[in-house]
Amino acid sequence: MNFGPIEYVVARIDGDYAYLQQIEQPEEELKCVARALLPPEIAEGTMLHYEMMEYSLKGL
């Protein structure tokens, strides 16, 4: 299990789930994450930072 740090961009939002694309490895499959685990203010194109099983807005 990878505890990060990993940088993501929100590629797509579909209901209660968001699909995240790794910035460093864009060829990887999108990661499906429950929106409840993500900051509430995300939108498509939002940059996220993942570390130690927590997601935060990149740069904040």
Side-chain angles (χ1 to χ4, degrees):
M1 182 173 262
N2 189 346
F3 291 105
I6 304 172
E7 305 298 329
Y8 290 102
V9 63
V10 178
R12 185 172 88 238
I13 295 176
D14 187 8
D16 290 334
Y17 296 91
Y19 293 85
L20 309 181
Q21 180 69 56
Q22 280 192 47
I23 293 173
E24 294 290 321
Q25 297 178 343
E27 69 281 356
E28 291 289 320
E29 186 174 327
L30 295 178
K31 180 177 183 178
C32 181
V33 178
R35 289 185 66 188
L37 299 175
L38 302 172
E41 58 271 24
I42 66 161
E44 290 182 6
T46 299
M47 306 291 278
L48 295 172
H49 176 82
Y50 171 82
E51 191 165 7
M52 298 302 293
M53 300 178 66
E54 290 186 15
Y55 294 90
S56 60
L57 295 176
K58 186 173 178 189
L60 298 179

